[in-house]
Amino acid sequence: MLVAVVSARTTPATGYELSIYAQTPDAFWVGVGAATAVGLVTSLFARPAASRVLGLVLGVSSYAAVVGLPLLRGYHYFGRGDGMTHLGWTRGLLVGNNEVFSMFYPGIHTFAIFVGESTGLPLTRSLLYVVFAFAVVFALFVPMCAWALTGDLRTTAVATFSGFLLLPITNISTQLVPHTTTQTVLFAPVVVYLLVRYLRSDRGGTLVPTGAGTLLAVALAALVVYHPQQALNFLLMLATICGLQLVARRWISHPSVTEPRRVYAQTGFLAVFWMAWSHGHERFRSGATNAVGEISKALTGGGGVAADTAQRGGSLTEIGSGLFEIFLKIFSVAGVYSAVTAALLLVALFGRLGGDDDIEPSFHRYMAGALVPVAALFGLYVLGSVSTQAFRHLGFLLVFVTLVGAVGIGRGWRLLSDRLPRAPVGSAVAVFLAVAIVVSALTVFPSPWIYLPSQHVSEQSMSGYETTFEHATVSDGVYSVRGDADRFADAHYARKVPNTPFGSVNETAMRTSLSTYHGTGWYLAVSEADRKREVLAYDQLRYSRESFALVRTQRGVSSVVDNGGFELYYVSG
């Protein structure tokens, strides 16, 4: 592991990197792969419990090295698009342009400011440490949930390496960048762990406070502050569990349903806190309006799923891929875990899991019901429109698929070992986890492997746009390839810039007619990231290599800034 970390640390990025995988030294991947393999085998098969724990520590260390690669490789920033906007919001809080309580979800921004002010790090770094922290928290609390549920070290080991898969990160609307939805999803296992501890706590009456209950209330409040939409998912789940507990108390006497502590008080607290926090926020009103619109489309059959899917499929076909290939790369492992999850929940509902513990079967029964409303929301969003909202709900669902699927694999291992030779069964589980880790690791970060460019923001790009906003007459208009300039403006000004036209240019204009595309007297920004994304990741689908070269040859186009990774042109006509 030490060799891997040192090799990555001593090979910092010198410019925009299209793929963090390809540009990271091979020594890093060999070291991390060896450490993960040793940790996996040791934690699953070593007899002394201490050796298994050491195997888990080694595995967690290798996982942390991978998710911390943008930090290890010295990336200036990692998170284009929404990540740049969140950087701007954080700067706005720091300098006083924004107020904490005026923001709908200020959680990660205040966290980043705390890290930055405590360590002296710039916000571009402290935000990446926040992203890293949430990714590590996810990997730690998935096995803690499994241990709290089962008390079985082998199942906990399976859950640990299942957490390394990062199934909720799909790079569709959840990414390892500063992105409030993603960080809230990765925080969810903390809430689930406290929920399990609360269900197991001694019952002295529904409203009698407990330590686990108090911590659960704090975690639920934090969930709202990090992102109210994901907190609403949890509210729907807890409300469903309340309904199941009420039904069980009135009509069912089986102890495995009635034994866990009631969650009525926690659900009521979350509902009140969520409504108090969301009330009056414009972002809540606009989000609710959009949600109702998309759900209405789904219910009335007016969604655009077929057209949107065909458009995306057509673009992938043009560059030699297809939706099926992308689906397999991103969702194949999640599909297996989903199947195992469904099997375990069905057994919990209609069969008997065995053992003397009543809490674990009850938890699985609760999940079987509680996941239904969230899954229904996901389905309605998909039918209404293929939007980022749908895949945000999917990311949330995949948290529970990871946990319950890992427990199901652990239980299946134990069941099959009683009927088949133990060595082949254990070897099959280890091989499956190893393959799943490799497949999932390839999609943790966006790369040409899944036809996406890296979220890397180089220092040259950042400084180039900062020079533009500080010295150019931006009111004339700043245009770019695919319109990235407005996101850099968000990061620089820490607010939306009124009356400033931002937009994009097409390939035809870049080749022949920039002077007539937006009139005269405007700026065109072209970065190294633009070139590599369009030429290499998208295989010249919309912009050819030649179109970038022809920009500076056009009449009326003057080079204003060129720092090696960013160029700014003034189009005078």
Side-chain angles (χ1 to χ4, degrees):
M1 269 304 302
L2 181 60
V3 172
V5 171
V6 170
S7 67
R9 187 66 179 170
T10 55
T11 315
T14 57
Y16 174 76
E17 294 184 348
L18 184 65
S19 170
I20 197 170
Y21 299 100
Q23 299 302 125
T24 298
D26 292 341
F28 175 84
W29 298 113
V30 172
V32 164
T36 303
V38 172
L40 177 63
V41 173
T42 303
S43 61
L44 292 181
F45 301 111
R47 292 192 179 277
S51 297
R52 290 190 177 188
V53 172
L54 288 175
L56 294 178
V57 171
L58 184 58
V60 170
S61 300
S62 62
Y63 165 84
V66 172
V67 296
L69 262 180
L71 289 166
L72 286 177
R73 297 286 321 289
Y75 278 13
H76 181 72
Y77 190 61
F78 194 76
R80 305 179 75 87
D82 284 348
M84 297 297 288
T85 300
H86 288 299
L87 173 60
W89 289 354
T90 308
R91 284 175 171 167
L93 277 177
L94 184 62
V95 302
N97 289 348
N98 300 328
E99 295 182 1
V100 172
F101 292 104
S102 68
M103 296 180 65
F104 196 35
Y105 29 71
I108 71 166
H109 313 89
T110 53
F111 189 1
I113 291 172
F114 171 78
V115 172
E117 293 296 290
S118 301
T119 62
L121 292 169
L123 291 180
T124 50
R125 297 291 286 174
S126 64
L127 274 166
L128 297 189
Y129 275 104
V130 169
V131 173
F132 173 75
F134 276 92
V136 172
V137 163
F138 177 82
L140 291 177
F141 274 86
V142 167
M144 287 175 66
C145 291
W147 176 258
L149 271 175
T150 67
D152 180 66
L153 189 55
R154 180 176 287 174
T155 300
T156 302
V158 172
T160 300
F161 286 89
S162 297
F164 298 167
L165 305 177
L166 278 174
L167 296 183
I169 303 300
T170 63
N171 283 303
I172 298 175
S173 62
T174 49
Q175 312 101 11
L176 280 185
V177 301
H179 184 241
T180 50
T181 292
T182 301
Q183 276 75 65
T184 310
V185 166
L186 296 179
F187 182 73
V190 177
V191 183
V192 178
Y193 171 75
L194 293 172
L195 174 62
V196 175
R197 303 304 304 178
Y198 180 71
L199 292 173
R200 288 193 178 280
S201 60
D202 294 333
R203 288 187 299 159
T206 300
L207 298 179
V208 175
T210 65
T214 301
L215 290 174
L216 177 58
V218 172
L220 290 170
L223 204 67
V224 175
V225 175
Y226 283 130
H227 204 294
Q229 182 190 56
Q230 301 302 327
L232 179 59
N233 283 336
F234 241 106
L235 179 58
L236 292 173
M237 293 182 67
L238 286 177
T240 303
I241 293 173
C242 283
L244 294 173
Q245 289 183 330
L246 284 169
V247 169
R249 188 175 186 182
R250 181 175 295 271
W251 285 294
I252 303 175
S253 60
H254 194 286
S256 67
V257 179
T258 59
E259 185 64 25
R261 189 180 180 91
R262 307 287 176 254
V263 296
Y264 309 148
Q266 304 298 324
T267 306
F269 168 79
L270 177 58
V272 171
F273 189 87
W274 186 88
M275 288 187 289
W277 183 267
S278 303
H279 178 71
H281 278 282
E282 173 58 32
R283 187 168 290 270
F284 168 69
R285 289 193 294 268
S286 61
T289 301
N290 291 337
V292 170
E294 290 198 13
I295 291 173
S296 297
K297 287 181 183 179
L299 295 176
T300 58
V305 60
D308 289 346
T309 302
Q311 179 183 0
R312 286 162 173 77
S315 297
L316 288 168
T317 300
E318 287 185 54
I319 58 176
S321 180
L323 286 174
F324 182 70
E325 177 189 341
I326 296 298
F327 179 86
L328 285 179
K329 289 179 176 179
I330 298 177
F331 295 112
S332 56
V333 177
V336 174
Y337 271 77
S338 298
V340 175
T341 297
L344 180 60
L345 296 184
L346 287 173
V347 171
L349 281 174
F350 303 109
R352 184 171 179 80
L353 292 177
D356 299 325
D357 180 31
D358 292 323
I359 303 299
E360 184 191 348
S362 294
F363 176 83
H364 294 315
R365 289 187 175 97
Y366 292 160
M367 290 300 103
L371 292 176
V372 170
V374 183
L377 271 179
F378 167 69
L380 288 172
Y381 272 121
V382 168
L383 292 175
S385 171
V386 178
S387 69
T388 58
Q389 297 297 324
F391 288 94
R392 291 181 180 186
H393 291 291
L394 178 61
F396 182 83
L397 289 169
L398 289 175
V399 172
F400 297 90
V401 166
T402 301
L403 171 59
V404 180
V407 172
I409 291 172
R411 279 191 163 274
W413 186 356
R414 192 184 318 154
L415 179 66
L416 291 175
S417 295
D418 293 336
R419 292 165 171 76
L420 300 171
R422 294 189 176 185
V425 174
S427 298
V429 172
V431 169
F432 166 73
L433 288 174
V435 172
I437 289 171
V438 172
V439 172
S440 297
L442 291 172
T443 59
V444 167
F445 298 107
S447 73
W449 169 252
I450 51 175
Y451 300 96
L452 289 175
S454 171
Q455 296 264 15
H456 180 203
V457 179
S458 67
E459 187 173 4
Q460 294 96 323
S461 288
M462 191 75 83
S463 65
Y465 273 107
E466 287 174 351
T467 300
T468 299
F469 299 134
E470 289 171 2
H471 299 288
T473 308
V474 295
S475 59
D476 290 343
V478 181
Y479 295 83
S480 56
V481 180
R482 295 189 187 263
D484 289 340
D486 62 331
R487 295 292 196 168
F488 283 87
D490 288 348
H492 178 76
Y493 292 107
R495 57 182 172 81
K496 288 294 183 184
V497 185
N499 303 320
T500 298
F502 295 111
S504 61
V505 296
N506 60 31
E507 186 194 24
T508 301
M510 290 174 64
R511 293 171 66 94
T512 60
S513 57
L514 283 172
S515 59
T516 60
Y517 190 68
H518 288 299
T520 58
W522 54 278
Y523 295 91
L524 171 65
V526 179
S527 68
E528 182 185 14
D530 295 329
R531 287 190 177 88
K532 290 184 176 180
R533 178 188 64 228
E534 301 301 332
V535 175
L536 301 177
Y538 296 156
D539 197 21
Q540 305 184 78
L541 176 65
R542 296 287 180 261
Y543 300 84
S544 67
R545 187 189 306 272
E546 184 185 23
S547 65
F548 287 96
L550 289 174
V551 167
R552 65 173 57 244
T553 66
Q554 292 190 40
R555 181 180 178 181
V557 177
S558 306
S559 177
V560 178
V561 176
D562 187 349
N563 64 14
F566 174 90
E567 297 169 70
L568 182 70
Y569 300 95
Y570 183 71
V571 182
S572 59

